[in-house]
Amino acid sequence: MDKLKISSYLILIISIAGILYALLFNPPPWIVYGISIIFIPTGILSFGLISMKRGPKKDEEDKNREPFIGY
Amino acid sequence: MANILLNVLIAFLVGSVLFGLQRKIMARIQMRPGPPIIQHLLHTLKFFIKESTFPKTAAMPFYIAITAMLSVIWVAAIIVGPVTQGSLLLIFAIYAIHKIVEHNAGSSSGSPYGKLSCVRAVFSAAAEVPLFAVLIIIYFKAGTMNIAQIISYQAANGPLIYSIPLAAAMFFVLILSKAPYSPFAITKGKDIISGYETEHFGLLRGYLMMSESTAWYMLLWVFLTVFIGGLSPLWYLVGMLALSTIVGFINATTPILNPNHSIMTQVSFALIGIVGSLVLLLY
């Protein structure tokens, strides 16, 4: 597993744990707002980074290469 | 927390379906069958399982973080709006950050189209931010910037759309400029492919589309709440459908303006709206 996958799993677990904490333990409102603003977006992003399809390793170089970077 | 999660989910689903409805209306006016109404929603979800790569020229990790930033600000808007009915000033700040996100998403990608869109985002901010400044007219009229108090004011004195119609018209122009295929959508004009989103494909595009749907829902929510008053969920839905339908009609029958014309038109609206509203308030 590469670095991106591992960090995505880690962020997803932390995000879900944060959201569950806010759901189950009724912390003060400002903590709930903070958890929502940070963990809902990071949870969705990390889920996406896990669920997205990755192409074959050998094709990666061709796909990343920009034909023109003179701007 | 459950309330916030529910509101985020509703905003995303309703916003996506309204975007789909707009495309359907545009297609029917242009004598095309058009995609199904849920197509925008399906596209958004589909992108999450599509193959994604990150361009070499992208400024990592900023290229990914900026997409999260768009989501962060609109989740914050949901908390300020439907959940807590807080200050309109915060919504204004969130909209200003939205323009910064457009700018930075374009510049972080390394694509020439993205960079051109990033310049246009700054350019259009010069017109859209004054349009959002319409909120100051609301302050002059209702004496508050708090959404809950504005709702109470309207319950006692009638909807603000009757007393400050020009301000409502200005806010509508702002909403129109955020719709896809709008005459003012210069940051995503087809001459620059998809603008600042050109190099955000696959998962990141889906993530951006998710935030844009939420943004659309929130802008309509602010319009209905601030100019008509607190409504029941059903009337919110009816109001959002009506506004999206009008926007669909306008988008179907107008071309995307070039940047100069777009900005000058919006600035003219802003000028007429602000001066006209102040005159209406004085007399």
Side-chain angles (χ1 to χ4, degrees):
Chain A
M1 244 190 326
D2 59 30
K3 216 165 70 180
L4 183 70
K5 255 310 186 290
I6 293 168
S7 48
S8 302
Y9 270 112
L10 206 64
I11 296 169
L12 183 65
I13 290 165
I14 294 169
S15 303
I16 292 173
I19 291 168
L20 285 177
Y21 165 73
L23 271 173
L24 301 175
F25 293 97
N26 282 325
W30 68 271
I31 294 181
V32 175
Y33 301 153
I35 286 174
S36 310
I37 289 170
I38 295 166
F39 289 146
I40 293 176
T42 53
I44 298 168
L45 177 62
S46 55
F47 172 76
L49 288 168
I50 293 165
S51 68
M52 74 179 188
K53 192 169 171 286
R54 302 291 293 268
K57 203 81 183 156
K58 60 182 172 59
D59 293 350
E60 210 153 273
E61 179 60 27
D62 290 338
K63 284 179 182 165
N64 283 346
R65 197 170 51 226
E66 284 280 334
F68 179 65
I69 52 167
Y71 285 92
Chain B
M1 185 72 203
N3 188 17
I4 296 170
L5 282 174
L6 188 67
N7 271 289
V8 170
L9 188 66
I10 289 172
F12 162 58
L13 292 176
V14 173
S16 295
V17 171
L18 290 176
F19 271 155
L21 177 75
Q22 256 180 54
R23 284 190 65 184
K24 191 75 174 173
I25 290 168
M26 287 175 66
R28 286 299 164 94
I29 292 170
Q30 294 164 351
M31 311 287 277
R32 295 183 283 116
I37 288 173
I38 56 164
Q39 194 60 50
H40 192 273
L41 175 65
L42 296 180
H43 269 318
T44 306
L45 300 176
K46 178 192 76 180
F47 280 132
F48 275 78
I49 49 166
K50 283 284 172 190
E51 187 180 325
S52 305
T53 51
F54 307 122
K56 230 172 202 168
T57 47
M60 294 290 249
F62 195 53
Y63 167 78
I64 295 178
I66 200 68
T67 57
M69 176 64 93
L70 192 66
S71 183
V72 162
I73 60 170
W74 288 107
V75 169
I78 288 171
I79 294 171
V80 176
V83 175
T84 60
Q85 299 190 338
S87 173
L88 269 180
L89 272 179
L90 284 172
I91 305 266
F92 180 77
I94 284 163
Y95 189 79
I97 300 174
H98 181 98
K99 296 308 294 180
I100 296 169
V101 169
E102 280 184 3
H103 173 84
N104 290 353
S107 66
S108 69
S109 69
S111 152
Y113 301 115
K115 286 183 179 172
L116 200 54
S117 174
C118 129
V119 174
R120 287 187 183 186
V122 179
F123 200 35
S124 64
E128 287 175 23
V129 174
L131 279 174
F132 216 117
V134 65
L135 301 178
I136 197 73
I137 309 287
I138 296 165
Y139 177 75
F140 286 145
K141 187 70 189 171
T144 178
M145 289 293 260
N146 184 281
I147 295 173
Q149 288 171 359
I150 292 171
I151 293 172
S152 311
Y153 176 87
Q154 291 181 101
N157 301 288
L160 283 172
I161 197 166
Y162 296 132
S163 48
I164 44 173
L166 284 173
M170 277 168 66
F171 200 85
F172 179 75
V173 173
L174 178 86
I175 290 174
L176 180 62
S177 67
K178 280 283 135 274
Y181 314 104
S182 142
F184 305 120
I186 56 170
T187 52
K188 285 197 274 186
K190 294 301 152 201
D191 52 337
I192 47 172
I193 318 300
S194 299
Y196 62 91
E197 291 181 344
T198 304
E199 294 280 305
H200 285 87
F201 41 82
L203 144 81
L204 296 179
R205 175 66 68 87
Y207 193 35
L208 283 174
M209 285 167 75
M210 198 175 250
S211 308
E212 283 169 353
S213 302
T214 311
W216 181 251
Y217 172 90
M218 271 311 298
L219 286 173
L220 297 178
W221 185 90
V222 170
F223 182 91
L224 293 169
T225 308
V226 164
F227 291 107
I228 296 177
L231 302 168
S232 67
L234 182 68
W235 280 110
Y236 267 117
L237 197 60
V238 171
M240 286 176 184
L241 280 171
L243 285 170
S244 295
T245 306
I246 296 167
V247 169
F249 268 95
I250 295 170
N251 292 352
T253 50
T254 50
I256 294 181
L257 298 173
N258 80 31
N260 294 328
H261 294 163
S262 170
I263 302 301
M264 282 315 294
T265 310
Q266 284 180 310
V267 167
S268 306
F269 271 118
L271 195 70
I272 295 166
I274 291 175
V275 175
S277 296
L278 288 174
V279 170
L280 278 176
L281 283 177
L282 288 172
Y283 293 99

